[in-house]
Amino acid sequence: MAAAAVVAPQAEASESWYLALLGFAEHFRTSSPPKIRLCVHCLQAVFQFKPPQRIEARTHLQLGSVLYHHTKNSELARQHLEKAWFISQQIPQFEDVKFEAASLLSELYCQENSVDAAKPLLRKAIQISQQTPYWHCRLLFQLAQLHTLEKDLVSACDLLGVGAEYARVVGSEYTRALFLLSKGMLLLMERKLQEVHPLLTLCGQIVENWQGNPIQKESLRVFFLVLQVTHYLDAGQVKSVKPCLKQLQQCIQTISTLHDDEILPSNPADLFHWLPKEHMCVLVYLVTVMHSMQAGYLEKAQKYTDKALMQLEKLKMLDSSPILSSFQVILLEHIIMCRLVTGHKATALQEISQVCQLCQQSPRLFSNHAAQLHTLLGLYCISVNCMDNAEAQFTTALRLTTHQELWTFIVTNLASVYIREGNRHQDLYSLLERINPDHNFPVSSHCLRAAAFYIRGLFSFFQGRYNEAKRFLRETLKMSNAEDLNRLTACSLVLLGHIFYVLGNHRESNNMVVPAMQLASKIPDMSVQLWSSALLRDLNKACGNTMDAHEAAQMHQNFSQQLLQDHIEACSLPEHNLITWTDGSPPVQFQAQNGPTTSLASLL
């Protein structure tokens, strides 16, 4: 039955008038469509009978719950929940009403942005619930979540640590693991890697040793493996993560074959679930997409994104959980980057617009993803050669983010804009100093450090310092080969090929460009294919290979035409005007463009 169900426990069911009113209230609540006004009238009628305190408190809770879940009258809901909380504290052995009232009331306070009222309420409820394991754990989770939403991860971690110790004392290894895994997730967010490693090792032992409900055990394993996989991906270790990712995919297959047992755990502290298995399934698709994107398997990323988005659409018809919108936005962010690489800018732009619309529906979602949204717009601007707009988008994103990996990614891309513009040397030197891969690199990500070497190589190439460029690019190749970073490998090979061509070493140039082209076709990376085919055309022409030169020229022509058509289509879309948005919430309406306004020279 739903959270707002109107029922009477045996102890309070002696009065026939009370049972009759509750019966009517529940009938109206569960009607199709629900008749909430009549349900509320029936519950309010209970007070006419001057009921005993237990019935009075429970009815206030039921009214508060119905009003909170089914109406917009939050003020009246708050009044009833405050009365339920006040009265229930005076009644011995009345834990279910007392703590449910506290939990729901603090939720309502948060919804009204009265967080300062929610915190002391939850602290008091936690203090007096130590003899009620289920509620004590639930309230600790709730307060930890509240601190997390406020970005106070230190307080949240402290509470989760208290919860883990309490769960151990009351003999719930399952809930102890949930508390510890939640703490591990926050430590990963804070980049406290020294603390994460021993904690994850402990979690792994607890999960393997725990013998209980198979679905609960497998869901703990999924939680544990998701943390391990995201930890590897954050570190840019695309090859090293493969065994963990495979385990995770096998684990979710196991869960999908298990039936949900309705048998309740004997320990009330075990009455928790991390995520519904349908949500876990989407999450596993999501981390698979993240891996495919980083590794440069873009067709695989597309396949899993399609599966995940289809599943999300089905789930969102029945479930309004905010986590589903977060999953959807993160999936779209990754597939947008794939589209820009594969030469589908118009589709990417429409998907950026879709992310804007999702963020308009939730202020919290927008505040969490605004920097990523401006970063994606910056990448789109580069792809259509709007460098001034790209700079404005990246500058906005830098202002909005506190996330070190994202900051480094943005700075790396902004540096590429300055290199292309060719007249921003002072700004460029300043940026390159902040992402120096040889000295004090700001993050531990293998992938971002390899990209920083590539950017250095690109800059040295444009300055004609070819030996220096080769050193940086060989470093990128060494790092990207070590972790299967296919896109960086392809980009480094083609740039090295270009350097050897300029130096007149045609054989060495060919040795670089041919594998670059093969890899770019496999990804597929349209820009690298365009670049490689132009080099192959010029190389074969210089070597007198007329047939091969003609074939490469034809390939180059085909890639140019595809990119040109996509460029014109993207710039003609009304959503193209998003490139000028750098402040506040995303615009709702877009005015149509009169054809493209950007230079096409860079594509030809």
Side-chain angles (χ1 to χ4, degrees):
M1 205 170 270
V6 182
V7 290
Q10 291 304 120
E12 293 151 31
S14 54
E15 304 282 1
S16 56
W17 57 265
Y18 180 53
L19 282 179
L21 285 169
L22 279 191
F24 278 126
E26 183 62 359
H27 166 73
F28 290 131
R29 191 190 72 83
T30 55
S31 298
S32 185
K35 297 171 181 171
I36 298 303
R37 193 168 58 83
L38 294 173
C39 170
V40 168
H41 281 326
C42 292
L43 289 171
Q44 284 173 329
V46 169
F47 300 125
Q48 303 299 317
F49 290 85
K50 302 281 188 289
Q53 265 197 324
R54 293 176 83 87
I55 290 179
E56 184 187 0
R58 188 176 291 279
T59 305
H60 279 301
L61 171 61
Q62 288 164 336
L63 269 165
S65 183
V66 167
L67 289 163
Y68 175 65
H69 288 108
H70 297 280
T71 76
K72 292 181 179 174
N73 195 340
S74 58
E75 191 176 338
L76 193 56
R78 186 179 71 243
Q79 288 170 14
H80 282 294
L81 291 171
E82 283 172 345
K83 284 176 185 170
W85 167 238
F86 177 74
I87 297 167
S88 61
Q89 288 178 80
Q90 300 162 33
I91 305 169
Q93 274 100 47
F94 207 40
E95 275 70 16
D96 58 338
V97 168
K98 187 188 321 181
F99 299 127
E100 190 170 339
S103 174
L104 207 50
L105 183 55
S106 67
E107 208 177 294
L108 189 148
Y109 283 152
C110 290
Q111 200 178 68
E112 294 181 332
N113 295 319
S114 304
V115 175
D116 290 339
K119 285 182 196 167
L121 168 62
L122 282 172
R123 284 194 202 101
K124 176 156 191 202
I126 287 165
Q127 189 186 342
I128 61 176
S129 63
Q130 293 192 31
Q131 301 309 310
T132 317
Y134 166 72
W135 276 109
H136 191 63
C137 291
R138 181 169 156 179
L139 293 162
L140 280 166
F141 274 126
Q142 193 171 346
L143 185 53
Q145 185 178 22
L146 178 50
H147 282 300
T148 304
L149 291 173
E150 286 205 302
K151 308 259 192 301
D152 179 4
L153 301 189
V154 174
S155 300
C157 281
D158 289 346
L159 283 162
L160 293 169
V162 168
E165 180 55 23
Y166 176 83
R168 187 190 67 77
V169 169
V170 297
S172 172
E173 285 297 283
Y174 168 74
T175 301
R176 181 187 176 203
L178 273 182
F179 274 114
L180 289 173
L181 287 165
S182 301
K183 183 177 178 180
M185 180 172 69
L186 297 189
L187 289 172
L188 278 174
M189 287 164 66
E190 280 195 286
R191 300 292 176 264
K192 291 191 173 173
L193 302 184
Q194 297 302 313
E195 293 177 52
V196 168
H197 295 144
L199 190 137
L200 283 182
T201 304
L202 173 62
C203 287
Q205 291 164 356
I206 295 171
V207 171
E208 287 312 310
N209 294 336
W210 186 70
Q211 301 301 317
N213 179 314
I215 283 192
Q216 284 184 307
K217 184 179 175 79
E218 289 303 309
S219 76
L220 283 180
R221 289 190 74 221
V222 169
F223 195 171
F224 172 68
L225 288 166
V226 162
L227 291 187
Q228 284 207 309
V229 169
T230 49
H231 180 34
Y232 275 119
L233 291 179
D234 267 357
Q237 295 174 322
V238 172
K239 189 176 183 179
S240 310
V241 76
K242 283 181 180 176
C244 273
L245 184 59
K246 196 169 182 184
Q247 267 186 288
L248 177 58
Q249 288 162 341
Q250 287 167 344
C251 200
I252 202 70
Q253 284 178 331
T254 305
I255 282 188
S256 60
T257 62
L258 295 172
H259 295 292
D260 288 308
D261 293 326
E262 293 301 323
I263 304 160
L264 290 176
S266 55
N267 188 337
D270 284 349
L271 283 164
F272 294 95
H273 277 295
W274 174 49
L275 280 177
K277 64 182 180 183
E278 296 80 10
H279 291 200
M280 281 191 262
C281 186
V282 174
L283 182 57
V284 173
Y285 281 143
L286 175 54
V287 294
T288 305
V289 167
M290 289 164 74
H291 175 260
S292 303
M293 170 69 211
Q294 273 200 39
Y297 306 129
L298 302 194
E299 285 174 350
K300 187 178 176 186
Q302 173 69 64
K303 185 179 90 172
Y304 280 105
T305 300
D306 290 343
K307 283 186 176 184
L309 289 174
M310 207 182 307
Q311 182 101 342
L312 275 170
E313 286 307 316
K314 288 180 193 168
L315 289 173
K316 285 181 89 171
M317 288 176 193
L318 308 166
D319 185 348
S320 60
S321 172
I323 199 169
L324 296 179
S325 293
S326 294
F327 286 165
Q328 192 176 357
V329 166
I330 298 167
L331 277 164
L332 285 168
E333 285 170 355
H334 281 81
I335 204 60
I336 287 161
M337 288 190 280
C338 289
R339 306 261 196 234
L340 293 172
V341 172
T342 57
H344 297 95
K345 297 184 275 290
T347 311
L349 186 56
Q350 287 164 329
E351 285 165 340
I352 290 173
S353 174
Q354 203 181 330
V355 175
C356 288
Q357 286 161 23
L358 285 164
C359 287
Q360 279 162 1
Q361 295 161 21
S362 162
R364 183 176 294 147
L365 202 57
F366 178 61
S367 94
N368 288 340
H369 291 269
Q372 290 91 319
L373 199 42
H374 285 288
T375 305
L376 291 170
L377 280 167
L379 295 173
Y380 167 75
C381 290
I382 291 177
S383 76
V384 291
N385 203 32
C386 296
M387 294 303 163
D388 288 347
N389 296 102
E391 182 182 352
Q393 291 297 338
F394 289 140
T395 307
T396 303
L398 286 173
R399 192 180 75 240
L400 293 170
T401 191
T402 54
H403 190 280
Q404 275 292 94
E405 273 78 5
L406 181 58
W407 180 91
T408 308
F409 179 78
I410 297 164
V411 168
T412 306
N413 281 286
L414 184 55
S416 81
V417 170
Y418 289 160
I419 290 170
R420 286 165 199 237
E421 288 185 318
N423 57 356
R424 303 292 296 276
H425 288 159
Q426 207 47 53
D427 293 327
L428 181 57
Y429 284 123
S430 166
L431 279 187
L432 291 177
E433 203 42 53
R434 296 165 84 185
I435 52 163
N436 185 344
D438 286 320
H439 181 67
N440 287 339
F441 194 64
V443 291
S444 58
S445 169
H446 182 93
C447 180
L448 286 171
R449 189 161 167 258
F453 275 118
Y454 176 77
I455 286 293
R456 290 253 163 175
L458 186 66
F459 182 45
S460 299
F461 166 72
F462 273 106
Q463 290 207 309
R465 299 201 304 267
Y466 298 129
N467 285 335
E468 186 180 85
K470 282 191 281 185
R471 181 183 84 77
F472 287 129
L473 293 169
R474 282 179 178 135
E475 201 62 45
T476 304
L477 273 179
K478 189 170 76 179
M479 292 185 75
S480 53
N481 283 333
E483 284 292 346
D484 289 349
L485 304 169
N486 289 332
R487 280 203 66 223
L488 270 175
T489 301
C491 290
S492 303
L493 284 171
V494 73
L495 184 49
L496 274 168
H498 203 132
I499 290 168
F500 284 120
Y501 175 73
V502 171
L503 294 172
N505 188 340
H506 294 164
R507 192 166 63 84
E508 198 60 41
S509 177
N510 196 63
N511 289 344
M512 299 291 158
V513 179
V514 170
M517 186 62 161
Q518 290 166 344
L519 199 48
S521 306
K522 186 177 150 194
I523 291 171
D525 185 324
M526 191 64 95
S527 298
V528 175
Q529 284 176 295
L530 184 74
W531 190 357
S532 301
S533 58
L535 267 173
L536 283 172
R537 176 196 64 201
D538 296 344
L539 265 172
N540 283 306
K541 200 183 288 181
C543 297
N545 304 329
T546 314
M547 291 289 287
D548 290 342
H550 178 72
E551 189 184 326
Q554 193 56 54
M555 280 166 59
H556 184 260
Q557 179 67 17
N558 293 342
F559 292 135
S560 295
Q561 284 304 314
Q562 286 177 51
L563 280 166
L564 195 54
Q565 283 172 346
D566 183 47
H567 183 107
I568 292 167
E569 187 187 342
C571 295
S572 302
L573 289 170
E575 290 88 347
H576 182 73
N577 283 319
L578 271 172
I579 68 172
T580 61
W581 162 61
T582 54
D583 196 32
S585 301
V588 183
Q589 295 294 329
F590 309 103
Q591 296 301 312
Q593 292 264 126
N594 296 318
T597 57
T598 56
S599 162
L600 305 179
S602 67
L603 296 175
L604 303 174

